Amino acid sequence: MDGLSSRVKRRLLLSLIPSVIAIGVIGFQVNWGDAGAALSNASPAYLLAGFLFFNLGLILRTWRWSILLRPIVPDANTRSSYGFFVVGYMVNMLLPFRAGDVVRAAMVKRRYQVSGISVLATIAIEKILDLAIAFFLALFLLLQPELLLDDASVSLVVAVVILTLAVVMWGMTKLEFVRNSVLRIVRSLPGIGGKLERFLRKIVVAMEAISSVSDIIRVVGASILVWIPAYFVVGSFLRAAGLEVPASAPVAVIVFSVIGLAIPAAPGNIGVAHLLYAGAVILYGVGVSEAAAFAVIMHAVPHLWTVFLGAIIAWRMGVGIGFLSGNEDIESSIYRRQEQEN
């Protein structure tokens, strides 16, 4: 850690607290002999299926991001954006506080000489779409769990959620009086006002670029599709762990992970991710040890592969460790440059 700044070191230490608590909660309740036996009996076929669906999900998520990115980088497509996306994911798994999102924006900014704040805005929209879908799916799960067996119903709910969010954000980009009033109120909030205002501004910047009907339709369609492989990733790993659970269980795991992983935690969300994955399936009557085995699979396979793949891509792109870990002020620099440009 000698190469890291004091700010990054403080963040790393603070991020350990939730992870240590989560590991303690799991560790004292799991029979690790039973969990180990479940892991040793994991189905290779289902592990492979989950691995393939995860990679399909990476491609579809890159495709969605390239749609958001295209107004800023006209030549952006899935192939050209894939490296940036995977390296950003890798950094998120190695550093806390979603540092990979800032690195992803910085890489695009450096490669194409575009506004970094606009790139960050596209990433912010990704997160908002994911959180909105997870939130409404959580309500859907609680109120009508049996309907989750109907894939068409799930897709319809997701589409309605995204369309509603898109219409609201489109209105904010077009009604300057409303936008300025909202930002003025947010700015006045003590403590978080400045950061929240910056967050809203970068979202508005991106929404101004994708406010056409055709762009909104493409983003909506992409946002629906990215969740299909996610469902089958979880389902495959549940089967790999030998768990027989209802078809709604993967949805519960997705909801727990998307909402819960917003909590700052140690690199890779170690501990917190395991607690969330296990907690979701325990609700379906799965034993603690079996749930822990599933959580290990659910965390290890995507994380190890993404770190391996991201490291190779970063090396081929000529992105060094110093750029990935020593630029915690990238976001601040981007905002300062944007202010100078204006």
Side-chain angles (χ1 to χ4, degrees):
M1 292 178 62
D2 292 338
L4 301 180
S5 71
S6 59
R7 183 179 176 185
V8 173
K9 291 178 181 178
R10 286 197 302 270
R11 287 185 172 188
L12 284 170
L13 291 175
L14 288 174
S15 69
L16 291 176
I17 297 175
S19 292
V20 170
I21 294 173
I23 291 172
V25 171
I26 297 174
F28 285 112
Q29 299 186 49
V30 173
N31 182 319
W32 291 106
D34 292 343
L39 287 172
S40 65
N41 293 324
S43 167
Y46 280 115
L47 287 175
L48 177 60
F51 172 78
L52 294 176
F53 278 121
F54 175 75
N55 280 278
L56 175 61
L58 282 180
I59 294 172
L60 289 178
R61 286 183 176 276
T62 304
W63 172 54
R64 178 181 67 172
W65 182 51
S66 71
I67 295 173
L68 295 170
L69 193 60
R70 206 163 293 151
I72 306 164
V73 181
D75 295 332
N77 54 46
T78 305
R79 183 175 181 179
S80 64
S81 304
Y82 184 76
F84 302 128
F85 191 87
V86 174
V87 171
Y89 253 43
M90 176 193 70
V91 176
N92 277 339
M93 294 176 180
L94 296 176
L95 293 176
F97 298 100
R98 311 297 299 181
D101 296 342
V102 179
V103 168
R104 195 196 329 173
M107 291 172 65
V108 175
K109 178 179 182 290
R110 186 178 73 168
R111 172 72 176 272
Y112 296 105
Q113 300 300 306
V114 295
S115 168
I117 193 172
S118 298
V119 180
L120 280 171
T122 64
I123 299 173
I125 291 174
E126 282 184 327
K127 308 307 176 188
I128 288 176
L129 289 172
D130 289 344
L131 285 170
I133 293 171
F135 176 75
F136 281 93
L137 282 180
L139 295 179
F140 200 48
L141 186 68
L142 292 172
L143 297 176
Q144 300 289 341
E146 293 304 321
L147 291 179
L148 286 171
L149 300 177
D150 185 350
D151 292 338
S153 298
V154 175
S155 299
L156 178 62
V157 171
V158 172
V160 170
V161 170
I162 297 175
L163 280 172
T164 302
L165 184 62
V167 169
V168 171
M169 291 305 302
W170 179 85
M172 191 174 176
T173 62
K174 297 301 181 182
L175 301 176
E176 186 175 355
F177 171 77
V178 174
R179 178 172 69 245
N180 291 339
S181 298
V182 170
L183 293 176
R184 187 163 51 250
I185 293 172
V186 168
R187 193 185 308 122
S188 66
L189 296 175
I192 64 171
K195 291 184 178 180
L196 188 55
E197 180 190 7
R198 290 197 311 179
F199 180 73
L200 288 176
R201 282 188 182 279
K202 65 185 182 182
I203 293 174
V204 171
V205 168
M207 286 304 300
E208 286 175 342
I210 60 166
S211 56
S212 70
V213 174
S214 60
D215 287 336
I216 290 175
I217 291 174
R218 283 196 293 268
V219 172
V220 168
S223 295
I224 294 173
L225 288 176
V226 298
W227 290 96
I228 296 176
Y231 178 89
F232 286 106
V233 168
V234 179
S236 297
F237 289 152
L238 285 167
R239 291 284 186 173
L243 302 181
E244 297 291 337
V245 290
S248 61
V251 178
V253 174
I254 291 171
V255 169
F256 272 53
S257 61
V258 172
I259 296 178
L261 293 182
I263 301 171
N269 292 103
I270 294 174
V272 173
H274 295 82
L275 182 60
L276 292 169
Y277 297 147
V281 295
I282 287 174
L283 294 177
Y284 288 87
V286 174
V288 175
S289 299
E290 292 76 13
F294 159 71
V296 169
I297 294 172
M298 187 69 204
H299 184 270
V301 175
H303 280 65
L304 292 176
W305 170 245
T306 303
V307 170
F308 173 75
L309 180 62
I312 293 176
I313 293 175
W315 173 71
R316 294 188 62 181
M317 294 175 69
V319 179
I321 295 176
F323 183 84
L324 298 177
S325 65
N327 286 288
E328 78 283 0
D329 291 323
I330 290 174
E331 189 170 7
S332 298
S333 322
I334 289 173
Y335 288 122
R336 286 197 298 270
R337 176 64 62 84
Q338 182 67 19
E339 290 172 358
Q340 292 172 3
E341 291 172 355
N342 295 334

